Amino acid sequence: MNRSRFLFFLLSVALLVPIVSATLLGAVSASQEKEDSLYKYLAVFSEVLSLIRRTYVEPTEVETLFAGALDGTTDALDALSTYVPAAATATFREALEVGESRSGLWIAKERGFAFVLAAEEGGPGAAAGLHTGDLLASLNEVSTRDMPLWQIRTLFAGPPGTEIAVEYLRRGLPESTQVTLGPFDRPQPALVTREGVGILTLPRVGDPAVAQVRRLLEEMVEAGSSRLIVDLRGSAGGDPAAAYRIADLFVAPGRLGELREAEATVEVFDSEAEPLWRGRLAVLTDRGTQGASEIVAA
């Protein structure tokens, strides 16, 4: 290689290296910007945590701050999500098995405020005077602002005979009552007719309700009725699979829906038979219409 070619080669390298380097760095930077967004939020979280520890009036344990932050994070997802510490998962699973069978109360928490999502008729909660929408201020003299949702649900799933002192707000006015936990006869689907209109009340969506709703609808059809109201107000919880079977009584053949996890379909629900009910239909819902009853409403 003569001298002129060698100089041309060096000049080319000198020009190309910065261009190639800038291109690669730009691509890496763009990639990292997407992947590192989580770390940016964690950096903000750590900075706020450090700031609170340094400036808060009273000493605060790091574990307490973390628990509060995680509880607030799930609170921001929706009113029914809750963060459960690892040490409390076994206890909370037991509470989930009991569910609302000893209180009749569905409790949710939104923006730090615990409230009654639904109160089953005839349950201890309703017997104590609690209604849908009541804000729970304290339980056994402990502020619900300091109680994560999993702890509140565990408390209301306590042993039969447990007494819970409840301070609550209704339309801004303070009230107090006492809920005594225990088994009760849970309300079943019922049908009444008023001025020629059938009113089907579905307080809870579960396996027993499927056969009961079918029987009541068959009675309506045999009687020649053509107008029906399905009342799902205050119907919370229940079984999604049962909800699809009830929905099957009202809709034409086809895909009803599916149950999915984050990345996979768990079960698919199809309607193959003609609908049992073909008349006019209205559905009543409120904020207490949650869980499986939302499927029926949809």
Side-chain angles (χ1 to χ4, degrees):
M1 182 182 296
N2 58 34
R3 180 179 179 84
S4 59
R5 289 183 177 180
F6 182 72
L7 291 175
F8 177 76
F9 174 76
L10 290 179
L11 181 60
S12 300
V13 171
L15 291 173
L16 287 174
V17 168
I19 296 174
V20 173
S21 300
T23 303
L24 292 175
L25 287 174
V28 171
S29 177
S31 175
Q32 287 182 339
E33 186 174 349
K34 295 179 180 179
E35 296 177 357
D36 294 347
S37 58
L38 174 62
Y39 298 101
K40 292 179 182 179
Y41 287 119
L42 288 176
V44 174
F45 176 81
S46 299
E47 184 177 348
V48 173
L49 182 67
S50 177
L51 181 64
I52 292 174
R53 291 192 66 195
R54 290 197 310 267
T55 61
Y56 199 64
V57 176
E58 299 177 0
T60 305
E61 296 293 333
V62 176
E63 292 79 4
T64 303
L65 292 176
F66 265 103
L70 292 168
D71 188 45
T73 300
T74 51
D75 188 0
L77 292 175
D78 58 64
L80 298 174
S81 295
T82 183
Y83 162 73
V84 184
T89 52
T91 301
F92 186 58
R93 288 185 187 277
E94 294 176 2
L96 289 178
E97 291 294 325
V98 174
E100 295 67 37
S101 63
R102 295 174 186 168
S103 68
L105 294 174
W106 290 85
I107 308 298
K109 199 170 186 182
E110 190 171 48
R111 298 178 183 177
F113 294 97
F115 62 95
V116 178
L117 189 63
E120 289 191 31
E121 183 179 351
L130 293 173
H131 297 166
T132 297
D134 288 343
L135 291 175
L136 303 180
S138 70
L139 302 174
N140 290 336
E141 300 184 352
V142 177
S143 172
T144 57
R145 296 282 289 182
D146 300 325
M147 299 178 69
L149 183 57
W150 70 267
Q151 203 170 50
I152 296 175
R153 290 181 177 174
T154 301
L155 180 62
F156 278 107
T162 300
E163 296 181 346
I164 303 173
V166 181
E167 300 284 341
Y168 64 99
L169 297 173
R170 179 179 297 164
R171 298 186 180 91
L173 299 177
E175 304 281 351
S176 63
T177 188
Q178 182 169 288
V179 177
T180 303
L181 303 182
F184 65 99
D185 294 329
R186 309 191 81 168
Q188 302 300 317
L191 177 66
V192 297
T193 302
R194 297 178 183 172
E195 300 180 3
V197 179
I199 303 175
L200 174 63
T201 303
L202 191 57
R204 180 174 173 81
V205 177
D207 282 333
V210 179
Q212 294 168 340
V213 171
R214 175 179 288 277
R215 176 179 56 80
L216 294 174
L217 288 179
E218 289 173 344
E219 293 177 1
M220 289 280 295
V221 173
E222 291 175 3
S225 301
S226 61
R227 294 184 295 174
L228 177 67
I229 295 174
V230 178
D231 190 353
L232 294 172
R233 292 174 297 177
S235 179
D239 178 17
Y244 280 114
R245 293 199 296 274
I246 292 175
D248 193 13
L249 303 173
F250 295 92
V251 298
R255 176 61 50 86
L256 295 179
E258 58 187 35
L259 294 179
R260 301 191 63 186
E261 292 179 344
E263 299 178 353
T265 299
V266 178
E267 191 172 359
V268 174
F269 297 91
D270 292 318
S271 174
E272 299 179 355
E274 292 297 322
L276 176 60
W277 179 259
R278 294 176 176 273
R280 298 178 65 183
L281 179 68
V283 181
L284 303 182
T285 65
D286 62 7
R287 194 173 187 185
T289 306
Q290 294 283 342
S293 60
E294 292 182 81
I295 297 174
V296 178

